[in-house]
């Protein structure tokens, strides 16, 4: 799976960064989260899905394969 942070929605709360221990999301220079991996490693997919569900502003989306 691939994930994307919708920049306009992210408030930089850091939940996704800490939840994924900086392995999928990290802060950029603007203090907002962004995906740091192109493809989420299989063993981290559940964690990535948790981050999607737990983002308070629904800023994280799963990028469907056909949207590549
Ligand atoms: S959980 Fe959502 S609002 Fe918080 S830093 Fe991550 S993408 Fe941004």
């Amino acid at each position: 799976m691939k994930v994307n942070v919708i920049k306009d929605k992210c408030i930089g709360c850091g939940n996704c960064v800490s939840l994924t221990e900086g392995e999928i999301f990290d802060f950029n220079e603007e203090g907002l989260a962004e995906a740091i991996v192109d493809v989420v490693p299989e063993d981290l997919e559940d964690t990535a899905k948790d981050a999607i569900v737990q983002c308070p502003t629904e800023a994280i989306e799963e990028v469907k394969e056909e949207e590549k």
Side-chain angles (χ1 to χ4, degrees):
M1 71 186 284
K2 294 184 174 193
V3 287
N4 176 51
V5 176
I6 303 160
K7 218 177 150 186
D8 290 344
K9 286 191 176 180
C10 177
I11 56 170
C13 75
N15 188 63
C16 61
V17 178
S18 51
L19 192 70
T20 64
E21 296 175 352
E23 291 188 77
I24 303 173
F25 303 101
D26 204 355
F27 291 114
N28 60 22
E29 61 281 350
E30 295 171 87
L32 301 176
E34 64 181 19
I36 55 167
V37 291
D38 184 32
V39 178
V40 176
E42 229 166 82
D43 59 330
L44 291 176
E45 283 189 355
D46 284 347
T47 311
K49 285 173 189 166
D50 283 347
I52 291 172
V53 172
Q54 290 183 30
C55 174
T57 60
E58 298 180 357
I60 308 170
E61 60 183 0
E62 182 175 350
V63 180
K64 301 290 179 195
E65 290 302 311
E66 57 268 21
E67 291 174 21
K68 262 192 282 195

